[in-house]
Amino acid sequence: MHKSIDGRTPPYRAVIKGTGSFAPAKILTNEDLLRMVDTSDEWITTRTGIKRRHVTTDDETTAFLAAEAAKSALSDANLDAGELDLIIVATITPEMVFPSTASFVQRSIKAKNAWVFDLAAACSGFIYGLAIVQQFLQSARYKNALVIGAETLTKITDWSDRKSCVLFGDGAGAVVIERSDEGRSGILYSTMYSDGDRWDALNCQAYGSRHPAHKQLDDPKKIYMQIKGREVYQLAVRRIVEAVTQCMNHSELGVDDIRMVISHQMNARIIESAAKRLKLPDEKVYVNIDEYGNTSAASIPIAFDECVKKGKIIRGDIVIFVAFGAGLTWAANVIEY
Ligand code: ACO
């Protein structure tokens, strides 16, 4: 199903006021992985672009990472948490089955006046979250929102499976978004897609209602992420190209108008291949997968925060976010920062 949201005309805009991110201190390098599975730095680097990933300790949970990123974004936006109306945490590695990870974040940052929920759209979660907030702020229903992408994927990684364990890392990124009736900046356009028929390409099956904890699993590996990487590779490139092209066409943007395209960091080769088809020069495509691996919903807000902090994106720049992941889901936003 497809939904497009045009944000060019409304009197109110959903403007990104602050960014923040957090990555656990512990690092797992490709060299470390050689001691765990039959792999090589050369294979991981050439096939994925990943060199290192940040991994949580047992004490570092998804809500902890999310709250740290949130505090950093609130400080950047100079906003008190008590002024937040809405908090969305995009995650597929929640704190627990319930309550939501967002509930723990609310408690941690003392956002007493917000309503909060988790959003499970895998790698597209942060983009879906921005699209939802765009609606609530443009309609003037709310004033301040916080969207967080936070994941602890290494906690559902099968460390004996070399095909998947080299790919993932942990982290969180956040943005504070404020309603504004001034200027041109804000979330300009969002486009979202899903294809539930392909749920089996990327999943983690236990312990939901299909495989409840009281029943023995037919395959003990179902507690871990399962990925059919080769199957989704080409599709990921195609969907990313389509979504960015749709953003450019709808918003009447040429390559020269765009400061940066920030893709979900799933594989450097996928990003490079999509960028080539879109005729995007290297300096307009941000890649930091070498440092973080794939952090699913967290990867775009972490990359965005890095770009802002490094001055690679400044106020007034046009930025496109694009993601593809489990569901299947894929989505994109156009932002004027
Ligand atoms: N080290 C060494 N060899 C390996 C490794 C490894 N870590 N992993 C696989 N191989 C071997 C395979 O066994 C295979 O050997 P064979 O030909 O003898 O059978 C060979 O390398 C090639 O395997 P492929 O799976 O075809 O490798 P490919 O080039 O497709 O790369 C990868 C695999 C990196 C997973 C790629 O397909 C990919 O990035 N896919 C999309 C990414 C993806 O699905 N990400 C998960 C999204 S889910 C989420 O984000 C939550």
Side-chain angles (χ1 to χ4, degrees):
M1 195 168 71
H2 169 222
K3 291 258 163 13
S4 294
I5 299 169
D6 181 350
R8 273 225 177 263
T9 45
Y12 295 107
R13 292 168 179 281
V15 178
I16 296 180
K17 282 288 176 187
T19 65
S21 59
F22 182 82
K26 190 175 164 197
I27 301 279
L28 191 71
T29 65
N30 290 351
E31 305 301 328
D32 295 329
L33 283 162
L34 304 189
R35 290 188 283 277
M36 298 160 72
V37 285
D38 179 15
T39 188
S40 66
D41 175 49
E42 199 262 334
W43 192 95
I44 302 170
T45 305
T46 54
R47 300 286 181 131
T48 71
I50 302 167
K51 299 297 278 183
R52 300 145 40 105
R53 62 288 287 146
H54 294 249
V55 297
T56 42
T57 59
D58 286 348
D59 293 339
E60 291 173 317
T61 64
T62 301
F64 167 73
L65 303 186
E68 290 302 309
K71 285 180 219 164
S72 165
L74 284 163
S75 160
D76 191 41
N78 200 18
L79 188 80
D80 187 87
E83 293 182 61
L84 287 170
D85 302 303
L86 167 61
I87 300 173
I88 299 175
V89 177
T91 187
I92 48 166
T93 45
E95 190 78 356
M96 51 184 73
V97 175
F98 69 86
S100 71
T101 309
S103 300
F104 290 96
V105 173
Q106 173 181 35
R107 180 171 187 265
S108 175
I109 65 172
K110 302 186 175 55
K112 292 199 179 308
N113 299 309
W115 62 285
V116 310
F117 68 96
D118 285 4
L119 196 166
C123 312
S124 308
F126 179 74
I127 293 178
Y128 275 30
L130 291 192
I132 292 167
V133 163
Q134 183 187 358
Q135 296 309 290
F136 278 121
L137 267 51
Q138 284 180 352
S139 65
R141 182 73 175 82
Y142 297 110
K143 177 97 170 88
N144 296 306
L146 178 64
V147 181
I148 308 168
E151 302 285 11
T152 51
L153 293 167
T154 66
K155 293 183 195 278
I156 55 166
T157 295
D158 177 358
W159 292 105
S160 67
D161 174 20
R162 70 175 183 172
K163 287 189 176 183
S164 63
C165 77
V166 301
L167 300 174
F168 300 103
D170 302 330
V175 293
V176 171
I177 308 173
E178 193 178 281
R179 187 183 75 216
S180 169
D181 57 1
E182 290 171 8
R184 284 184 44 84
S185 61
I187 303 169
L188 303 181
Y189 177 72
S190 299
T191 182
M192 294 76 70
Y193 295 87
S194 296
D195 178 7
D197 286 343
R198 298 298 310 276
W199 72 271
D200 62 329
L202 308 157
N203 60 62
C204 181
Q205 297 189 34
Y207 286 101
S209 60
R210 186 176 289 196
H211 299 291
H214 68 266
K215 271 180 73 180
Q216 195 172 358
L217 292 169
D218 53 342
D219 174 0
K221 297 271 185 194
K222 282 183 176 166
I223 58 172
Y224 301 121
M225 270 183 290
Q226 321 264 331
I227 70 158
K228 295 180 180 166
R230 195 183 289 188
E231 272 184 46
V232 298
Y233 188 102
Q234 289 304 332
L235 196 56
V237 175
R238 176 146 46 103
R239 296 306 189 203
I240 288 170
V241 171
E242 284 171 2
V244 173
T245 303
Q246 188 182 339
C247 285
M248 292 173 69
N249 289 343
H250 183 275
S251 304
E252 297 176 5
L253 298 169
V255 168
D256 289 346
D257 301 314
I258 300 166
R259 174 73 171 204
M260 195 73 78
V261 173
I262 299 182
S263 169
H264 164 50
Q265 309 282 309
M266 60 167 13
N267 183 322
R269 287 197 305 158
I270 291 176
I271 299 171
E272 281 159 21
S273 184
K276 202 169 158 195
R277 290 183 203 193
L278 290 161
K279 299 190 170 42
L280 291 166
D282 290 351
E283 68 273 14
K284 288 183 190 276
V285 182
Y286 192 69
V287 178
N288 66 357
I289 194 171
D290 53 322
E291 174 67 23
Y292 295 96
N294 176 349
T295 59
S296 191
S299 84
I300 290 173
I302 291 173
F304 182 54
D305 184 46
E306 279 192 0
C307 285
V308 170
K309 302 275 157 68
K310 288 179 181 171
K312 287 178 179 291
I313 294 172
I314 57 171
R315 288 288 169 193
D317 283 344
I318 299 284
V319 180
I320 295 179
F321 299 145
V322 63
F324 174 92
L328 299 173
T329 60
W330 60 106
N333 317 108
V334 182
I335 312 288
E336 183 170 323
Y337 177 56

